[in-house]
Amino acid sequence: MNEQQYEKQLNINTSGFQYGFPKLAQYHRYEPTPYSGLDQLFEHYILPENACLVDIGCGKGRVPIYVHDQFQIPVVGIEMDQKFFVEAEHNCEQYLKKNKKNGASIQFINQLAETYKIADKDNVFFFFNPFSIHVFRQVMNHILDSLERKKRVIDIILYYPAPEYMLYLQQELALNCLVEVKLADEKNENERIIVFRIS
């Protein structure tokens, strides 16, 4: 399916880009994750047991709603921008009107990613290059702290991974790549999806 077909099926509107600059310099502009990339990711990657996906910098809610629809698992979207958060909430309402509730929770939270308290159930974290390495480190520290509290398998999904993110995860945290998806029809080597697993 193409972008418009997915939007129609899910009964949401998440297209468009952010013009101008985000309010905080450490954060990057909003750009929706292509549905074709999500399809390719889940052709090669299997979610861990009892998965709960957290989309860090979820924008208008595309990724959490897509995952909720495809896999019937709990999802959380974290978004710092009030306007995008309101749109994500609206998209969630529209999605649930057309698509029967599957029992799994879907939640959007309006706050900075680095202030989000990682829940014990959170075990899959999706990042589409939402912010600087400085903020990414803070978020990763919270994720690692949560592991001390509750042992579980945790997956880190990087869509179009920034080189600094890769360096940090591979060299400083010594994590190994679980899955690498080279996106079809993309020429830039950064246009790929990498999944790291912490177990």
Side-chain angles (χ1 to χ4, degrees), residues 99 110 143 170:
N99 301 276
N110 183 207
I143 292 170
Q170 291 178 309

Side-chain angles (χ1 to χ4, degrees), residues 47 50-53 64 67-68 71-75 102 104-106 124:
L47 289 158
N50 300 316
C52 174
L53 179 133
V67 170
H68 189 269
F71 302 103
Q72 295 79 54
I73 64 166
V75 293
N102 58 36
S105 64
I106 180 166
V124 180

Side-chain angles (χ1 to χ4, degrees), residues 115-133:
T115 65
Y116 172 66
K117 184 174 178 0
I118 309 292
D120 289 350
K121 66 179 172 45
D122 299 341
N123 62 355
V124 180
F125 296 87
F126 185 91
F127 298 86
F128 182 2
N129 231 347
F131 33 60
S132 71
I133 185 62

Side-chain angles (χ1 to χ4, degrees), residues 66-134:
Y66 170 98
V67 170
H68 189 269
D69 183 66
Q70 294 282 319
F71 302 103
Q72 295 79 54
I73 64 166
V75 293
V76 180
I78 311 297
E79 178 53 51
M80 70 158 198
D81 186 279
Q82 174 71 23
K83 181 176 176 290
F84 289 146
F85 166 73
V86 169
E87 289 190 55
E89 289 268 85
H90 176 71
N91 280 322
C92 182
E93 286 170 19
Q94 295 302 112
Y95 161 70
L96 291 173
K97 271 183 196 171
K98 184 174 178 185
N99 301 276
K100 291 180 183 174
K101 291 181 183 177
N102 58 36
S105 64
I106 180 166
Q107 180 185 18
F108 291 99
I109 300 169
N110 183 207
Q111 71 180 95
L112 293 172
E114 61 269 37
T115 65
Y116 172 66
K117 184 174 178 0
I118 309 292
D120 289 350
K121 66 179 172 45
D122 299 341
N123 62 355
V124 180
F125 296 87
F126 185 91
F127 298 86
F128 182 2
N129 231 347
F131 33 60
S132 71
I133 185 62
H134 173 70

Side-chain angles (χ1 to χ4, degrees), residues 137-168:
R137 282 171 180 272
Q138 290 181 65
V139 174
M140 282 302 304
N141 284 337
H142 293 319
I143 292 170
L144 295 171
D145 287 346
S146 81
L147 259 180
E148 297 294 317
R149 205 173 57 238
K150 169 77 173 173
K151 293 289 178 199
R152 63 204 188 279
V153 170
I154 285 183
D155 288 351
I156 308 295
I157 303 172
L158 303 181
Y159 194 99
Y160 287 18
E164 316 88 79
Y165 285 22
M166 294 292 292
L167 208 61
Y168 167 69

Side-chain angles (χ1 to χ4, degrees), residues 168-182:
Y168 167 69
L169 293 175
Q170 291 178 309
Q171 295 196 0
E172 292 190 43
L173 297 186
L175 297 182
N176 293 316
C177 169
L178 176 72
V179 175
E180 177 175 2
V181 180
K182 291 183 177 169

